[in-house]
Amino acid sequence: MIGQEIENLIRTISRLPGLGSRSARRIALFLVKNRNSQIETLVSALKEVQEKVKICPVCGNYDTLDPCSICSDNRRDEKTICIVQDVADLWAMERTSAFKGKYHVLGGVLSALDGIGPEDLGLDKLLQRVQSNNIEEIVLALPATVDGQTTSHYIAEIMRETGAKVSSLAHGVPVGGELDYLDDGTIQTALKARYTL
Amino acid sequence: MIGQEIENLIRTISRLPGLGSRSARRIALFLVKNRNSQIETLVSALKEVQEKVKICPVCGNYDTLDPCSICSDNRRDEKTICIVQDVADLWAMERTSAFKGKYHVLGGVLSALDGIGPEDLGLDKLLQRVQSNNIEEIVLALPATVDGQTTSHYIAEIMRETGAKVSSLAHGVPVGGELDYLDDGTIQTALKARYTL
């Protein structure tokens, strides 16, 4: 006996990632209660994004600028590009402020199971970008999964002819991590990659 | 270095209940990626609610009808009203389909700490509704907290003069619950209210 407008809002919200029907109901009720203040704000934020945000043709980032604010920032080192799987990973890298180069968003990783091959990731476009801009270093920040690492090795292989240095984020014990809670693979990798103090 | 339109959307989403900055980023990225399909749907669902949903003047439920679809449903027993704290609780009751009467949404419970007194909950309006409609039974479905139970007792007290029967949802072991995980208060209450098989 919930009105269909509210039911429809709950259904729409519950389709968002990470939200189940319970959290969707809670959010919908909050919006219904604050419909004069919150809905207006949310609708205008959504419309702004819908109207203005585009995919950067250079790196694949989302931005209102074309090329995006990272690609058009002259203070960033354009000879180093970091390769990430997704824009979420680009955001994660940016939050650290530790990387001062530019990016390339793959949009996925090679996957035999899902039938994703090199042509689906536009790796030829990446190769062309590296060659025509004389990129000096490619930092691979792909997921530490089997598919992610396969992709890293594949990219390292095709970049060999360009002469660019190819590196990857280090694998090991996460900062603040307890050994007891880590999987064997991570501990083995961290042991192999141990460094001298 | 995230564009301000996207930042603004993330900030707006993270203000919704139950969402932190991480889930807000995830939802925002999903919406940015699917901005042509999902944003349109979400915006129209939000606008429908904003334009049409009102508070029912009789029971306090949210609906597009006035009075709400529950209050105007003749098949429901209008001599029994269930008193809930919030519309979320009304929805929870309705999901069970176990209650066939009408509702009254208090909008809160008495609270000495938060300074919420009988006049803030409109209890005089409730009393008037009970008297003028010759309500026969009042089912209290208020939270099993100290404040909720205080409110239940207070309402039972002021309803004495109306002659209406006042009942409350039973307290005890939740269906499917393991004794080992229950708090002492619940077990004590369940023991006191034990029934003969």
Side-chain angles (χ1 to χ4, degrees):
Chain A
M1 288 303 279
I2 306 182
Q4 66 170 50
E5 287 79 6
I6 300 179
E7 274 288 16
N8 183 32
L9 181 61
I10 295 176
R11 211 176 321 113
T12 312
I13 293 174
S14 71
R15 273 193 233 112
L16 298 174
L19 297 181
S21 61
R22 206 176 179 297
S23 19
R25 279 201 301 273
R26 197 172 158 207
I27 292 171
L29 187 58
F30 170 83
L31 289 168
V32 168
K33 281 184 185 170
N34 303 283
R35 56 201 175 288
N36 293 322
S37 55
Q38 297 295 327
I39 290 189
E40 202 59 67
T41 322
L42 185 53
V43 165
S44 73
L46 286 165
K47 295 213 137 185
E48 279 275 286
V49 163
Q50 190 186 19
E51 283 159 18
K52 296 191 186 163
V53 173
K54 285 172 187 61
I55 297 176
C56 171
V58 180
C59 72
N61 187 14
Y62 289 110
D63 203 346
T64 44
L65 298 178
D66 179 1
C68 78
S69 51
I70 296 178
C71 284
S72 49
D73 185 348
N74 294 326
R75 289 162 304 175
R76 299 185 74 120
D77 174 14
E78 57 178 358
K79 296 295 175 198
T80 309
I81 59 173
C82 174
I83 299 186
V84 290
Q85 180 184 15
D86 197 89
V87 175
D89 302 335
L90 186 158
W91 291 355
M93 289 291 293
E94 281 300 284
R95 282 200 296 281
T96 68
S97 308
F99 180 70
K100 298 292 176 203
K102 306 210 166 173
Y103 289 94
H104 189 92
V105 181
L106 280 188
V109 286
L110 297 174
S111 167
L113 270 179
D114 300 335
I116 299 175
E119 62 288 350
D120 300 306
L121 300 181
L123 291 181
D124 46 341
K125 216 183 120 195
L126 172 63
L127 186 62
Q128 203 187 324
R129 182 178 170 197
V130 170
Q131 281 171 329
S132 55
N133 293 283
N134 296 316
I135 303 296
E136 285 161 10
E137 183 171 357
I138 294 163
V139 181
L140 295 161
L142 295 174
T145 58
V146 173
D147 284 347
Q149 295 310 297
T150 309
T151 313
S152 289
H153 285 115
Y154 186 88
I155 293 176
E157 199 55 50
I158 61 170
M159 291 304 161
R160 209 173 288 273
E161 54 170 298
T162 66
K165 178 183 165 191
V166 181
S167 60
S168 163
L169 290 192
H171 299 299
V173 181
V175 177
E178 302 254 19
L179 284 195
D180 197 19
Y181 291 98
L182 275 179
D183 61 305
D184 299 352
T186 303
I187 297 182
Q188 274 175 22
T189 312
L191 182 65
K192 264 193 229 157
R194 68 188 178 276
Y195 59 99
T196 319
L197 286 176
Chain B
M1 287 302 280
I2 306 183
Q4 68 169 49
E5 287 80 6
I6 300 179
E7 275 288 16
N8 183 32
L9 180 62
I10 295 175
R11 211 176 321 113
T12 312
I13 293 175
S14 71
R15 273 193 232 113
L16 298 173
L19 297 182
S21 62
R22 207 177 179 294
S23 20
R25 277 200 303 272
R26 197 173 158 206
I27 292 171
L29 187 58
F30 170 84
L31 289 167
V32 168
K33 281 184 186 171
N34 303 282
R35 57 200 175 288
N36 293 322
S37 56
Q38 299 294 327
I39 290 188
E40 202 59 67
T41 322
L42 185 53
V43 165
S44 74
L46 286 164
K47 295 212 136 185
E48 279 275 287
V49 163
Q50 190 186 19
E51 283 159 19
K52 296 190 185 166
V53 173
K54 286 173 186 61
I55 297 177
C56 170
V58 180
C59 73
N61 187 15
Y62 290 111
D63 204 345
T64 44
L65 298 178
D66 179 1
C68 77
S69 52
I70 296 178
C71 285
S72 50
D73 185 349
N74 294 326
R75 290 162 305 175
R76 298 186 75 120
D77 174 14
E78 58 177 359
K79 297 293 175 199
T80 308
I81 59 172
C82 175
I83 299 186
V84 290
Q85 180 185 13
D86 196 87
V87 176
D89 301 335
L90 187 158
W91 291 355
M93 289 291 292
E94 281 300 283
R95 281 199 297 282
T96 68
S97 309
F99 180 70
K100 299 292 176 202
K102 306 210 165 174
Y103 288 94
H104 190 92
V105 181
L106 280 188
V109 287
L110 298 174
S111 168
L113 270 179
D114 299 335
I116 300 175
E119 61 289 348
D120 300 306
L121 300 182
L123 291 180
D124 46 342
K125 217 183 119 192
L126 172 63
L127 186 61
Q128 203 187 324
R129 182 178 171 197
V130 170
Q131 282 169 328
S132 55
N133 293 282
N134 296 315
I135 302 296
E136 286 161 10
E137 183 172 356
I138 294 163
V139 181
L140 295 162
L142 295 174
T145 57
V146 173
D147 284 346
Q149 295 310 296
T150 308
T151 313
S152 288
H153 286 116
Y154 186 88
I155 293 177
E157 200 55 51
I158 60 170
M159 290 304 161
R160 211 174 286 274
E161 54 170 299
T162 66
K165 178 183 165 191
V166 181
S167 60
S168 163
L169 289 192
H171 298 299
V173 182
V175 176
E178 302 254 19
L179 285 194
D180 197 19
Y181 292 97
L182 277 177
D183 61 305
D184 298 354
T186 303
I187 296 182
Q188 275 176 20
T189 312
L191 182 64
K192 265 194 227 155
R194 68 187 177 278
Y195 61 98
T196 320
L197 287 177

PDB file of all heavy atoms in Angstrom, chain B residues 106-123:
ATOM      1  N   LEU B 106       2.956   8.907  14.375  1.00  0.00           N
ATOM      2  CA  LEU B 106       3.250   9.910  15.402  1.00  0.00           C
ATOM      3  C   LEU B 106       4.318  10.909  14.967  1.00  0.00           C
ATOM      4  O   LEU B 106       4.275  12.077  15.307  1.00  0.00           O
ATOM      5  CB  LEU B 106       3.752   9.231  16.674  1.00  0.00           C
ATOM      6  CG  LEU B 106       2.726   8.612  17.606  1.00  0.00           C
ATOM      7  CD1 LEU B 106       3.429   8.176  18.885  1.00  0.00           C
ATOM      8  CD2 LEU B 106       1.621   9.612  17.942  1.00  0.00           C
ATOM      9  N   GLY B 107       5.309  10.399  14.228  1.00  0.00           N
ATOM     10  CA  GLY B 107       6.412  11.269  13.814  1.00  0.00           C
ATOM     11  C   GLY B 107       7.521  11.326  14.839  1.00  0.00           C
ATOM     12  O   GLY B 107       8.487  12.075  14.669  1.00  0.00           O
ATOM     13  N   GLY B 108       7.417  10.527  15.893  1.00  0.00           N
ATOM     14  CA  GLY B 108       8.447  10.513  16.930  1.00  0.00           C
ATOM     15  C   GLY B 108       7.906   9.838  18.167  1.00  0.00           C
ATOM     16  O   GLY B 108       6.788   9.313  18.155  1.00  0.00           O
ATOM     17  N   VAL B 109       8.695   9.798  19.207  1.00  0.00           N
ATOM     18  CA  VAL B 109       8.217   9.286  20.497  1.00  0.00           C
ATOM     19  C   VAL B 109       8.580  10.307  21.568  1.00  0.00           C
ATOM     20  O   VAL B 109       9.446  11.158  21.349  1.00  0.00           O
ATOM     21  CB  VAL B 109       8.823   7.903  20.843  1.00  0.00           C
ATOM     22  CG1 VAL B 109       8.215   6.799  19.978  1.00  0.00           C
ATOM     23  CG2 VAL B 109      10.333   7.906  20.702  1.00  0.00           C
ATOM     24  N   LEU B 110       7.914  10.222  22.695  1.00  0.00           N
ATOM     25  CA  LEU B 110       8.226  11.113  23.809  1.00  0.00           C
ATOM     26  C   LEU B 110       9.687  10.917  24.196  1.00  0.00           C
ATOM     27  O   LEU B 110      10.183   9.794  24.236  1.00  0.00           O
ATOM     28  CB  LEU B 110       7.347  10.782  25.016  1.00  0.00           C
ATOM     29  CG  LEU B 110       5.835  10.955  24.826  1.00  0.00           C
ATOM     30  CD1 LEU B 110       5.102  10.447  26.058  1.00  0.00           C
ATOM     31  CD2 LEU B 110       5.508  12.415  24.565  1.00  0.00           C
ATOM     32  N   SER B 111      10.387  12.010  24.447  1.00  0.00           N
ATOM     33  CA  SER B 111      11.787  11.879  24.833  1.00  0.00           C
ATOM     34  C   SER B 111      12.176  13.041  25.725  1.00  0.00           C
ATOM     35  O   SER B 111      12.193  14.192  25.292  1.00  0.00           O
ATOM     36  CB  SER B 111      12.656  11.850  23.578  1.00  0.00           C
ATOM     37  OG  SER B 111      14.006  12.005  23.929  1.00  0.00           O
ATOM     38  N   ALA B 112      12.485  12.705  26.977  1.00  0.00           N
ATOM     39  CA  ALA B 112      12.905  13.748  27.920  1.00  0.00           C
ATOM     40  C   ALA B 112      14.236  14.340  27.463  1.00  0.00           C
ATOM     41  O   ALA B 112      14.434  15.559  27.486  1.00  0.00           O
ATOM     42  CB  ALA B 112      13.034  13.153  29.314  1.00  0.00           C
ATOM     43  N   LEU B 113      15.122  13.480  26.969  1.00  0.00           N
ATOM     44  CA  LEU B 113      16.451  13.935  26.534  1.00  0.00           C
ATOM     45  C   LEU B 113      16.373  14.900  25.362  1.00  0.00           C
ATOM     46  O   LEU B 113      17.059  15.922  25.337  1.00  0.00           O
ATOM     47  CB  LEU B 113      17.307  12.737  26.122  1.00  0.00           C
ATOM     48  CG  LEU B 113      18.151  12.082  27.212  1.00  0.00           C
ATOM     49  CD1 LEU B 113      18.907  10.902  26.635  1.00  0.00           C
ATOM     50  CD2 LEU B 113      19.118  13.091  27.815  1.00  0.00           C
ATOM     51  N   ASP B 114      15.542  14.560  24.360  1.00  0.00           N
ATOM     52  CA  ASP B 114      15.437  15.416  23.182  1.00  0.00           C
ATOM     53  C   ASP B 114      14.365  16.490  23.354  1.00  0.00           C
ATOM     54  O   ASP B 114      14.096  17.240  22.413  1.00  0.00           O
ATOM     55  CB  ASP B 114      15.114  14.571  21.939  1.00  0.00           C
ATOM     56  CG  ASP B 114      16.218  13.552  21.666  1.00  0.00           C
ATOM     57  OD1 ASP B 114      17.354  13.812  22.082  1.00  0.00           O
ATOM     58  OD2 ASP B 114      15.927  12.509  21.057  1.00  0.00           O
ATOM     59  N   GLY B 115      13.747  16.529  24.532  1.00  0.00           N
ATOM     60  CA  GLY B 115      12.737  17.549  24.793  1.00  0.00           C
ATOM     61  C   GLY B 115      11.493  17.408  23.938  1.00  0.00           C
ATOM     62  O   GLY B 115      10.929  18.411  23.487  1.00  0.00           O
ATOM     63  N   ILE B 116      11.076  16.168  23.680  1.00  0.00           N
ATOM     64  CA  ILE B 116       9.856  15.961  22.894  1.00  0.00           C
ATOM     65  C   ILE B 116       8.717  15.598  23.846  1.00  0.00           C
ATOM     66  O   ILE B 116       8.757  14.556  24.504  1.00  0.00           O
ATOM     67  CB  ILE B 116      10.055  14.853  21.837  1.00  0.00           C
ATOM     68  CG1 ILE B 116      11.189  15.262  20.877  1.00  0.00           C
ATOM     69  CG2 ILE B 116       8.764  14.607  21.052  1.00  0.00           C
ATOM     70  CD1 ILE B 116      11.558  14.208  19.863  1.00  0.00           C
ATOM     71  N   GLY B 117       7.736  16.461  23.945  1.00  0.00           N
ATOM     72  CA  GLY B 117       6.605  16.255  24.842  1.00  0.00           C
ATOM     73  C   GLY B 117       5.353  15.878  24.082  1.00  0.00           C
ATOM     74  O   GLY B 117       5.359  15.854  22.843  1.00  0.00           O
ATOM     75  N   PRO B 118       4.263  15.593  24.790  1.00  0.00           N
ATOM     76  CA  PRO B 118       2.996  15.174  24.163  1.00  0.00           C
ATOM     77  C   PRO B 118       2.506  16.144  23.094  1.00  0.00           C
ATOM     78  O   PRO B 118       1.985  15.734  22.057  1.00  0.00           O
ATOM     79  CB  PRO B 118       2.023  15.120  25.339  1.00  0.00           C
ATOM     80  CG  PRO B 118       2.871  14.905  26.532  1.00  0.00           C
ATOM     81  CD  PRO B 118       4.162  15.598  26.262  1.00  0.00           C
ATOM     82  N   GLU B 119       2.702  17.454  23.332  1.00  0.00           N
ATOM     83  CA  GLU B 119       2.184  18.422  22.366  1.00  0.00           C
ATOM     84  C   GLU B 119       2.954  18.363  21.036  1.00  0.00           C
ATOM     85  O   GLU B 119       2.398  18.618  19.966  1.00  0.00           O
ATOM     86  CB  GLU B 119       2.189  19.844  22.955  1.00  0.00           C
ATOM     87  CG  GLU B 119       3.543  20.424  23.367  1.00  0.00           C
ATOM     88  CD  GLU B 119       4.118  19.748  24.625  1.00  0.00           C
ATOM     89  OE1 GLU B 119       3.379  18.989  25.322  1.00  0.00           O
ATOM     90  OE2 GLU B 119       5.300  19.971  24.908  1.00  0.00           O
ATOM     91  N   ASP B 120       4.261  17.948  21.090  1.00  0.00           N
ATOM     92  CA  ASP B 120       5.047  17.852  19.853  1.00  0.00           C
ATOM     93  C   ASP B 120       4.570  16.702  18.976  1.00  0.00           C
ATOM     94  O   ASP B 120       4.769  16.714  17.761  1.00  0.00           O
ATOM     95  CB  ASP B 120       6.531  17.643  20.185  1.00  0.00           C
ATOM     96  CG  ASP B 120       7.094  18.798  21.001  1.00  0.00           C
ATOM     97  OD1 ASP B 120       6.963  19.937  20.539  1.00  0.00           O
ATOM     98  OD2 ASP B 120       7.634  18.552  22.092  1.00  0.00           O
ATOM     99  N   LEU B 121       3.986  15.693  19.587  1.00  0.00           N
ATOM    100  CA  LEU B 121       3.545  14.519  18.820  1.00  0.00           C
ATOM    101  C   LEU B 121       2.089  14.645  18.382  1.00  0.00           C
ATOM    102  O   LEU B 121       1.557  13.757  17.721  1.00  0.00           O
ATOM    103  CB  LEU B 121       3.718  13.248  19.658  1.00  0.00           C
ATOM    104  CG  LEU B 121       5.145  12.938  20.115  1.00  0.00           C
ATOM    105  CD1 LEU B 121       5.160  11.645  20.894  1.00  0.00           C
ATOM    106  CD2 LEU B 121       6.082  12.833  18.919  1.00  0.00           C
ATOM    107  N   GLY B 122       1.443  15.733  18.734  1.00  0.00           N
ATOM    108  CA  GLY B 122       0.043  15.924  18.342  1.00  0.00           C
ATOM    109  C   GLY B 122      -0.873  14.882  18.957  1.00  0.00           C
ATOM    110  O   GLY B 122      -1.791  14.383  18.302  1.00  0.00           O
ATOM    111  N   LEU B 123      -0.608  14.522  20.219  1.00  0.00           N
ATOM    112  CA  LEU B 123      -1.407  13.471  20.848  1.00  0.00           C
ATOM    113  C   LEU B 123      -2.849  13.911  21.080  1.00  0.00           C
ATOM    114  O   LEU B 123      -3.755  13.073  21.125  1.00  0.00           O
ATOM    115  CB  LEU B 123      -0.755  13.010  22.151  1.00  0.00           C
ATOM    116  CG  LEU B 123       0.559  12.232  21.955  1.00  0.00           C
ATOM    117  CD1 LEU B 123       1.145  11.803  23.284  1.00  0.00           C
ATOM    118  CD2 LEU B 123       0.347  11.015  21.062  1.00  0.00           C
TER     119      LEU B 123
END
